[in-house]
Every structure is written in structure tokens, then in C-alpha cells.
Amino acid sequence: MDAFERLLTREGVQGLGVNALVREAQVGKDLIYRYFGGLAGVAEAWARKTEVLPSAEELIGHDIESFQESEPVERLRIIFRNYVRGITKQRAALTVLAVDLLARSELTQALENIHQKDRAEITKFFSEEGRQTGMDMEVVGGLLVGGINYLAMRSNVVKDPYNIPLDSDEGWDKVEETVLRLIDLAWEG
């Protein structure tokens, strides 16, 4: 798994292949196929181990009771605060997300399969909360996640996209504060 992540981080998705992985891991090709069934199996195992995207548990803050007792707008704030904090930690994940914008691959499909359940739980929450606001909170959530993902991916290439210093905690704090304010505005209608 470490060799897969090193290769992904250094070479990007386009640099992944069974032969490249065999060289990086210094193992025989037969081991890759025997234990993982091929590159897609390695990608799926890596994604499960790495938790590339924040899980539903991470997004709600690991304390389901406190989360459920919170006001609906505060629950949205918790989810997005934790999303901003979680997505910026994984450089390899950002590489995968960037490639996914251009074309589907075995790796991006494996990630999608793993995170589909978490995404369904969170999307259900947006639907329920949206009924209270009269606003389509799924669309609001999609726009916010898309914007956060784009900034995080872009920060791997440019340190201050749109003059936001994303190479510092202060820059990401500004993004987080703005996202939370946008949630408040959307909630207020």
C-alpha cells in the first residue's frame, strides 16, 4: 500500500501500472495478482486503508448523539467544517479527484464504490434539512463540496488560487469561515 501511495503521489494516476508498482514495491508481479487480482484490487485496498475522502463518521465528528441533538443548521456546519479539514490532508486523494474530472479510471471507480454509502448518508441528510428551508440543500451541498474540492486540488498546483493563501492554515481557515457563512445564508433563505 505504501508503494502504491508513493507512486500515486509522485507520478499521478497516469504513472500507475502493475509494472511501475512492482518496481516501486520491489515485489514480483505474481504477488500483485495473487493478493489483489490486479491494479484495481490494489487501488481498492489502498482506498479502504487510506480513507481518501472523509467518512460519514468523520464528517459528523465521531459523536452521533451530540450531532443528532444539534440544530439542523449546526449539523450542516459540522459536516462542512469537518469536510474542509479532512479533504486538505490527503495529497494523494486530491490527485485522484483531479484525474477523475478528466476521465474515469479503475482507481476512481474503486474510490467511488467505497464512498458511495457515506455519500448516500450525507445526501439523505441534505434532503431532510432542505425541506425545512425550502431550499434544495443537496444542490447547496454539491456546490460547496465542488468548490472545496476544486480549491484543494488547485492548491496542489498553485499555492494561492484566487489570491487565497492555501499553502497556510490561515488560508484554509478563511475558506472554512466562508463556507460556514454561506451555509448560514442558505439556511436563512
Side-chain angles (χ1 to χ4, degrees):
M1 295 306 110
D2 293 338
F4 181 87
E5 185 165 337
R6 282 193 311 270
L7 190 60
L8 177 61
T9 303
R10 189 178 63 242
E11 305 293 332
V13 173
Q14 64 277 10
L16 287 174
V18 172
N19 291 333
L21 183 57
V22 164
R23 280 190 302 276
E24 183 72 27
Q26 300 178 349
V27 298
K29 191 183 279 191
D30 61 315
L31 291 178
I32 302 293
Y33 288 100
R34 184 181 316 140
Y35 290 103
F36 300 101
L39 188 60
V42 176
E44 188 168 331
W46 172 79
R48 286 187 192 287
K49 172 190 161 265
T50 307
E51 294 207 17
V52 175
L53 297 173
S55 67
E57 184 181 16
E58 289 172 298
L59 292 176
I60 64 170
H62 300 283
D63 184 356
I64 189 75
E65 287 182 31
S66 293
F67 180 79
Q68 289 174 330
E69 291 171 3
S70 300
E71 292 295 319
V73 69
E74 184 56 28
R75 286 184 276 190
L76 287 171
R77 292 171 60 88
I78 290 167
I79 288 170
F80 278 99
R81 180 181 306 115
N82 291 333
Y83 190 81
V84 169
R85 293 174 183 176
I87 196 65
T88 58
K89 293 177 185 174
Q90 286 286 349
R91 288 188 58 86
L94 298 175
T95 299
V96 172
L97 288 173
V99 169
D100 189 45
L101 290 174
L102 301 174
R104 287 294 201 184
S105 69
E106 290 178 327
L107 176 57
T108 58
Q109 189 59 51
L111 293 176
E112 181 131 347
N113 294 343
I114 290 167
H115 294 288
Q116 201 166 25
K117 180 184 174 199
D118 286 336
R119 202 168 30 248
E121 287 180 41
I122 298 301
T123 301
K124 178 183 170 198
F125 174 75
F126 286 134
S127 298
E128 292 169 4
E129 301 306 347
R131 283 192 283 277
Q132 294 182 30
T133 66
M135 191 166 203
D136 192 332
M137 293 306 286
E138 286 181 29
V139 172
V140 171
L143 290 169
L144 291 174
V145 166
I148 294 163
N149 287 352
Y150 178 78
L151 288 174
M153 289 182 286
R154 197 72 186 127
S155 73
N156 273 346
V157 179
V158 177
K159 294 304 171 197
D160 60 351
Y162 307 104
N163 294 319
I164 306 167
L166 297 180
D167 58 344
S168 70
D169 288 340
E170 293 79 20
W172 282 107
D173 288 346
K174 288 173 76 172
V175 170
E176 182 181 314
E177 289 167 21
T178 303
V179 165
L180 297 180
R181 182 65 186 131
L182 288 171
I183 290 168
D184 291 342
L185 291 170
W187 191 262
E188 293 165 7

